[in-house]
Amino acid sequence: MFELNPNGASAPANDLIKDVSEATFMADVVEASREVPVIVDFWAPWCGPCRQLTPALEKAVTDAGGKVKLVKVNVDENQAIAGQLRIQSIPTVYAFWQGQPVDGFQGAVPGSELKSFIDRLIALGGEGGEGDGLGEALAAAEEMLEQGAVADAAQIFSAVLQEDASNAAAYAGLARAHIAMDQVDQAVQVLNTVPEDKANAPEIEAVRAQIALLKQAEAAGPVAELRAKVEADPSDHQARFDLAQALYANGDAAAAVDELLDLFRRDREWNEEAAKTQLFTIFDALKPNDPVVLNGRRKLSSIIFA
């Protein structure tokens, strides 16, 4: 059985393809991606390229037979989601796996590129022949990185890149391994070698955000001194902004987000919305399912739409 979707394309009436809202995004994207890769299509009814891309995505997902899922986000009706994920043009497509964005692209791409995109996701999900090994290798490397076996993780990420020189997740993992070894310059060099068509992949942007925050941390002042300045003059926006940077530099991301939210609440236009920009930088640097990110995005949305 088929039904007509709001963007005019027909799709199977099952859970492989669905429209989502802010209320269902966590369940249908972040949580669902722990079982199978989930593709998120950001579109709008007035977008011509969207009308070309979405039916092709729906067919590719249907042909994959349950190895990937597709959710569609109407940016006109879900501006909060689009804003939080920093969607600047449509169509934009993100892919989530294990609660994290792992790949993506912008614009209506040719069918061959779309097939390669789907195949990469199927491989990450544990299907697809040779890709199976790469997906397992990436998962093993991520686990090593989390457990502190940084050098071993770096070797595996490098090995994956030798097999697949366009693997954005491997580039990001290798760069994060260098960061964990206090080799920020080497991490930057890794990002400079990312193929142009992967340069804006979500995981690559996340590492760039992490590096930006590390560089800011170098100039961060003492937390106690900055907190005293804020307590003495709560309207000193620069002091509160500097305090947030210092808190993040000292490993307290939750407190940094709270200070930035307070600053945005007091004066959202200050320094060209610097508080909001810094919040997005922190959100980008952390995992999408990190409680700091989830709580921070929810609080930011409540301030924006209050």
Side-chain angles (χ1 to χ4, degrees):
M1 178 179 177
F2 283 74
E3 60 184 8
L4 191 65
N5 289 308
N7 54 347
S10 60
N14 56 37
D15 66 351
L16 288 182
I17 301 172
K18 61 175 63 175
D19 296 282
V20 300
S21 64
E22 185 174 0
T24 60
F25 189 86
M26 281 298 300
D28 288 337
V29 177
V30 176
E31 296 303 327
S33 73
R34 300 188 185 283
E35 302 295 330
V36 65
V38 177
I39 300 168
V40 186
D41 176 21
F42 294 90
W43 69 283
W46 45 265
C47 169
C50 298
R51 290 194 291 271
Q52 298 176 357
L53 176 64
T54 299
L57 271 173
E58 292 179 346
K59 183 179 186 305
V61 168
T62 302
D63 291 345
K67 296 174 183 176
V68 294
K69 291 184 177 182
L70 171 67
V71 303
K72 295 177 289 183
V73 179
N74 183 333
V75 297
D76 287 347
E77 297 177 353
N78 299 280
Q79 295 181 13
I81 297 175
Q84 289 169 3
L85 291 176
R86 307 182 81 171
I87 304 302
Q88 298 179 343
S89 64
I90 54 173
T92 289
V93 173
Y94 279 173
F96 282 73
W97 170 239
Q98 295 299 307
Q100 302 181 52
V102 295
D103 208 341
F105 62 86
Q106 292 182 333
V109 301
S112 58
E113 290 187 25
L114 187 58
K115 183 180 185 304
S116 296
F117 175 73
I118 298 289
D119 287 345
R120 289 197 301 273
L121 296 180
I122 292 174
L124 282 177
E127 301 285 348
E130 293 182 358
D132 224 5
L134 294 184
E136 292 176 359
L138 285 170
E142 289 290 350
E143 184 175 353
M144 289 178 182
L145 196 56
E146 290 183 5
Q147 294 178 350
V150 181
D152 291 338
Q155 289 182 354
I156 294 179
F157 287 127
S158 296
V160 171
L161 288 173
Q162 290 177 3
E163 295 293 326
D164 180 6
S166 66
N167 194 302
Y171 281 107
L174 181 57
R176 285 187 284 109
H178 281 299
I179 291 172
M181 293 185 285
D182 294 324
Q183 299 171 348
V184 177
D185 289 343
Q186 288 90 327
V188 172
Q189 291 175 10
V190 169
L191 295 186
N192 288 339
T193 65
V194 176
E196 185 176 352
D197 63 335
K198 300 296 180 185
N200 295 321
E203 61 269 48
I204 300 299
E205 293 288 359
V207 181
R208 287 201 185 98
Q210 189 175 353
I211 291 173
L213 290 169
L214 286 172
K215 291 183 176 180
Q216 291 174 5
E218 295 174 358
V223 170
E225 181 180 313
L226 290 167
R227 190 178 298 282
K229 288 182 67 175
V230 170
E231 290 175 352
D233 182 7
S235 65
D236 187 341
H237 298 334
Q238 185 63 57
R240 191 178 299 277
F241 186 84
D242 293 344
L243 173 59
Q245 287 187 328
L247 287 166
Y248 188 89
N250 281 272
D252 197 345
V257 167
D258 285 343
E259 293 296 341
L260 290 168
L261 287 169
D262 193 4
L263 173 52
F264 185 73
R265 187 182 296 108
R266 290 169 181 271
D267 185 355
R268 63 180 64 190
E269 301 297 332
W270 177 78
N271 198 14
E272 298 182 348
E273 294 192 330
K276 182 180 179 183
T277 299
Q278 188 74 347
L279 282 167
F280 280 136
T281 301
I282 292 176
F283 295 158
D284 287 345
L286 300 174
K287 294 181 178 180
N289 59 342
D290 190 305
V292 173
V293 176
L294 299 178
N295 293 332
R297 288 191 186 280
R298 183 168 58 250
K299 291 177 181 178
L300 179 60
S301 294
S302 67
I303 296 172
I304 292 174
F305 296 103

